[in-house]
Structures are given as structure tokens and as C-alpha cells.
Amino acid sequence: MTSFNRNGQLHLGAFVIAGPGRPGGWRYPQSEDGWLDIDYYRRIAQVLERGRFDLAFFADILAVPNRYGNSHDSQLRYGALGALRLEPLQVLAAMAGATRHLGLAATKSTSYYEPFDIARGIATLDHLSGGRAAWNIVTSFQDAEARNFSREEHIPREKRYDRADEFLEVTHKLWDSWQDDALVADRAEPLFAAPDKVRPILHQGEWFKVDGPLNIPRPPQGYPVLIQAGASDRGRDFAARWSDLIFVTHYSLESAVAFSREMKERAARFGRNPKDLKILPGITPLVGETNAIVAEKRRVLADLIEPVSGLTTLSYHLDVDLSVYPLDEPLPHLKVPGVTGHYDEMREASDKGGLPLAEVGRMYANRYEGDFIGTPDAIADRMQEWFEAGACDGFMVAAHWQPGAFDEFVRLVVPELQRRNLFRKEYSGSTLRDHLNLARPAAGDWQRLHH
């Protein structure tokens, strides 16, 4: 088996929701409802920076899902996945002003935006934050989203990755359209920007025709950090080609190790150093000072869950209407047009536990991916086990409720990871690429490494 060396310390991202989050979590007594308040997000950012997290990561969705029962009702009633989501770039700009080191990742779809718009928006965030921006690249998959962008149906899977590949080529050309020293700002000359160092890209392809240049200088990081979560075979190739960081979820250590090994090997086949591809599985830890405290938290959270609140979100992720299947029978074997990784995860959980669909719904609404539950020592043990087994380069930490679960993780788990020398005590460097031990790419590097 191929072995890939790590630098000895893991990375931590935070999976933050610009909205109510988990269906049971927003009802939890310690949860706060400042979803429309700028100070709510600033405070989360400051908590994460105090915990020396690499980045805050915002998922996004471009519709209120109606896949379950062909209705928005279950999403809105239970405060599920897409009931409320603020636009992430604007939230991250506020968080940038409240922090100095924390990386800032926004989800943007290659199916419903244009390359110039995203290249400009992410470059703006990278400049305003001093080189801390990241872009989570999604291709989207729901017809509900298509119908919010003047289309009747979504682009088929293979076609949307064709579009995404060209989209990434165009954004990189736009980021490279200014040489690093093009902005002069010489008042005496006068010379604001050197015209011979700012060039149009004149791109013409199957999906896009873009003249350029970008009207923003090259980003401080060269290219912002790129995040992807492709789970299908084509999605994995796309992630191995373009991503600096992969976000994924796993039910077991075994599946996480297999995925990590496969993705590192795919990256090598694209001519990349496998160490430059960071894999951060999503976990939702439940921590307490004692096992009794943890058990009580788990009981309270479970009592707040309705099965439909999880099934409506799983229906969205799979792009399958699960309302047509009996709640007392197992999750059926399905051909999934949506996110195959989420289906594989819940299929594994359902098969191993013999769970009926109702319990799958409860589990999905209040998942404990990887079973990271217990005292700070127990959770640190589990994280260390995954990290040293080669399952990951770190973790994307989600919160059952916001912002309190992030506070608890920073207060209880981070010091234990630091005591074991598994996680930094201070930031080194100033950019997100510095945090992730990634070199700043030179102009044109994307062509050399991705073909």
C-alpha cells in the first residue's frame, strides 16, 4: 500500500451554518437564534480563532428543498437544511473583520454562477482578509435550484463536471490575468497599474466565452484555497485534479482510510504531490466533562428529533423522495442521482445496525459521524486514531448547536490535542495556505499540475 507522510499535526476546519443548522440542534436549550445578526457570526469566528482553527467553512444551498413529498413544508417546519441560509461571502467578509488568522471558505456553485463573478468575489475576500479565502466548489444537483435560475431541470452529472472543469480553467486564467507586480500605484509617474502586466484572457470554450482581464489584482495566495467534496468517480477525479482540501463524511474508520488512500493516489496520477491534498472528514463531536454529562446531552438532543426532519434533508442530498417508502422498513437500495457519499454513509449505518427508515431519519438529523462522543480524552483518542491510521489530514468539525458546541470543543478538546502535540498552539504564517502547509502557486501552475 502507498504511504503518504504527514507533518505530524492535524488541521481543523469548522463546518458553520449561516442559518439554524441541525433540526434538533436549533431547538437545544443552549442554542442561540442570532442567525440574522452579524455579531453572531463574528463571535463564532473569534471562538474558532481562539481555538487556532485553520478555517471556517460555510456550506450553502440555492433553494428551499421540496424533494420530500414534493413540498417545502418539512424543511420549513423543522428548520432543516435549507429553511434559512444567508449568502456566505457577505457573512465571511464580516468574519474577516473580526479575526486576523482564521481561514474563510465560501461555497459557490459552478452550475449557477459565472466564472468572472466567482473569481472576482473570492479574490476580493482574499485581498480584504490578507490571504485567508477559500472556495468550496460545488456543481449542485437539485432541480429546485435550477428553477431558481431560470432553468427547468439541472445539468446532468457528467455535463456539470465538464462545465466545472472549464469553469476552473477560466477562474485560474482570470486570477493570473494580473502579474504579481502589476499594481504599481506610483503617484509621481503617474502609473497606477502596468498595462503590459495586465492581460485579457480571451477564453473561448464549450461553456464560457470570457475576455478578461479581472478587475482585481492577483490574489495574495496566488490562487485561493480550493475545497471540494466529490464522491462519485467523476467527482473524485475532479477533486484530485483541482482541490487543495477535500471535505467528506464517513461512518467508519475503515471507509475513511480507504477513501484517503484512493484520493492521494488519484492526486499523484494528476502529477501532484499527495501531501498537497488535505482530506478533512466531517465530524460532529459531542463532548462533556464526564460521561454522564455527555449521555444527558445526547438524550436531550435525541428527544428533539422528529424522523421526518432528517429524512427531508436526506431526500435533498440523495435527490430521492423518501416519503414514498415505509418508515418501518430499511433504507432501500437506490440508484442515487444526488450525493452518493451521503447515501453510502447511511447505507453502511443502516445495514450494520438493521435500522428502519424512521431511525435512519433520526440518525441523519443528528449524526455523530465517526462516533466522536465522550470526554475530551476520549474524543482526542478517536481523532488521534483516525489521523495516525491515515484516514485524514485533520477534521471538519460541525456543531450540534451554535455557537455553544464550538465553544465547548475549543475549551475542552483543543487543549488535549495541543497537549499531545497533535495540533498547533499558535498560528505560523499569515495566509490560509500557510496554515495548511501549502506553497503559494506561481502564475500558470494550474496548467502544469492539472493535465
Side-chain angles (χ1 to χ4, degrees):
M1 294 182 181
T2 305
S3 175
F4 300 109
N5 294 323
R6 291 174 167 79
N7 67 357
Q9 290 194 329
L10 54 82
H11 300 284
L12 289 179
F15 185 88
V16 189
I17 300 296
R22 296 192 171 210
W26 70 267
R27 300 177 63 200
Y28 190 71
Q30 294 182 25
S31 178
E32 299 179 23
D33 56 3
W35 312 301
L36 304 177
D37 184 346
I38 195 170
D39 289 334
Y40 175 86
Y41 298 103
R42 286 173 174 158
R43 186 150 55 87
I44 290 174
Q46 290 167 344
V47 167
L48 297 174
E49 186 157 279
R50 188 169 71 247
R52 304 299 187 261
F53 271 60
D54 293 73
L55 74 155
F57 164 89
F58 279 86
D60 197 25
I61 179 173
L62 300 172
V64 178
N66 61 353
R67 197 68 180 92
Y68 190 83
N70 196 33
S71 171
H72 301 118
D73 183 279
S74 56
Q75 285 283 315
L76 296 168
R77 183 178 303 277
Y78 298 113
L81 177 85
L84 188 161
R85 287 290 179 97
L86 302 187
E87 198 286 314
L89 275 178
Q90 297 181 57
V91 178
L92 288 168
M95 294 172 76
T99 55
R100 295 180 55 201
H101 302 282
L102 183 70
L104 306 159
T107 296
K108 288 289 179 180
S109 173
T110 58
S111 295
Y112 298 119
Y113 294 100
E114 291 291 321
F116 191 94
D117 181 45
I118 289 184
R120 184 171 179 244
I122 301 292
T124 297
L125 182 62
D126 207 44
H127 280 287
L128 295 181
S129 65
R132 295 187 278 141
W135 170 22
N136 177 46
I137 306 156
V138 297
T139 58
S140 301
F141 54 86
Q142 278 280 337
D143 286 347
E145 293 173 299
R147 290 190 291 270
N148 285 338
F149 289 84
S150 303
R151 302 177 190 177
E152 288 300 314
E153 60 185 20
H154 188 54
I155 304 167
R157 186 191 297 272
E158 291 303 311
K159 284 291 186 180
R160 67 180 185 247
Y161 277 113
D162 289 344
R163 177 183 166 100
D165 273 322
E166 187 178 339
F167 199 111
L168 268 292
E169 291 177 12
V170 177
T171 54
H172 281 76
K173 288 177 182 179
L174 288 166
W175 289 326
D176 285 343
S177 64
W178 288 59
Q179 294 182 25
D180 284 319
D181 58 351
L183 183 62
V184 179
D186 185 335
R187 291 179 171 87
E189 181 67 18
L191 182 62
F192 179 73
D196 60 335
K197 296 182 178 182
V198 181
R199 298 293 178 87
I201 67 170
L202 302 177
H203 176 90
Q204 294 194 31
E206 178 184 356
W207 295 91
F208 306 107
K209 293 182 179 180
V210 182
D211 281 359
L214 200 63
N215 53 355
I216 295 177
R218 194 161 189 259
Q221 295 185 99
Y223 308 133
V225 169
L226 301 181
I227 304 172
Q228 223 273 325
S232 66
D233 186 66
R234 180 68 189 277
R236 293 184 189 199
D237 263 351
F238 182 86
R241 178 184 181 190
W242 292 107
S243 296
D244 301 300
L245 189 157
I246 291 179
F247 167 64
V248 65
T249 57
H250 293 289
Y251 181 74
S252 68
L253 172 60
E254 294 75 19
S255 60
V257 170
F259 178 85
S260 179
R261 183 176 295 118
E262 178 192 342
M263 292 308 301
K264 300 282 186 176
E265 291 172 349
R266 286 192 191 227
R269 291 201 296 270
F270 277 104
R272 301 180 60 192
N273 184 337
K275 290 191 294 184
D276 289 341
L277 180 62
K278 311 296 182 180
I279 297 177
L280 272 62
I283 63 172
T284 310
L286 189 65
V287 62
E289 290 85 348
T290 68
N291 287 325
I293 291 173
V294 174
E296 178 61 12
K297 288 179 180 178
R298 189 170 188 177
R299 183 194 66 77
V300 172
L301 285 165
D303 286 347
L304 296 172
I305 294 298
E306 299 288 339
V308 171
S309 68
L311 293 177
T312 180
T313 296
L314 186 58
S315 287
Y316 165 79
H317 279 147
L318 305 186
D319 196 16
V320 172
D321 182 6
L322 295 176
S323 72
V324 302
Y325 298 103
L327 292 176
D328 58 352
E329 294 184 7
L331 177 68
H333 288 272
L334 301 167
K335 184 176 182 181
V336 174
V339 183
T340 55
H342 288 311
Y343 176 71
D344 292 341
E345 178 192 356
M346 298 315 296
R347 174 84 266 156
E348 183 179 5
S350 179
D351 289 348
K352 285 186 175 181
L355 302 178
L357 189 59
E359 289 307 309
V360 170
R362 289 184 188 277
M363 175 184 287
Y364 203 71
N366 202 34
R367 284 180 293 165
Y368 298 90
E369 298 93 337
D371 201 29
F372 290 78
I373 304 169
T375 62
D377 280 355
I379 289 178
D381 286 345
R382 187 81 165 145
M383 295 174 76
Q384 184 169 356
E385 179 188 17
W386 279 48
F387 182 61
E388 292 181 349
C392 59
D393 298 282
F395 299 90
M396 193 72 75
V397 179
H400 283 285
W401 68 92
Q402 293 182 173
F406 289 127
D407 282 301
E408 290 186 350
F409 187 89
V410 167
R411 179 171 58 86
L412 297 173
V413 180
V414 167
E416 181 59 27
L417 295 173
Q418 292 169 332
R419 188 186 68 76
R420 302 179 188 204
N421 198 33
L422 285 169
F423 188 59
R424 68 169 69 87
K425 293 182 179 178
E426 296 295 339
Y427 290 105
S428 59
S430 58
T431 71
L432 179 53
R433 286 188 173 275
D434 292 336
H435 303 344
L436 296 170
N437 303 307
L438 297 172
R440 182 183 189 271
D445 268 6
W446 68 273
Q447 293 174 298
R448 178 173 60 85
L449 294 174
H450 296 90
H451 287 286

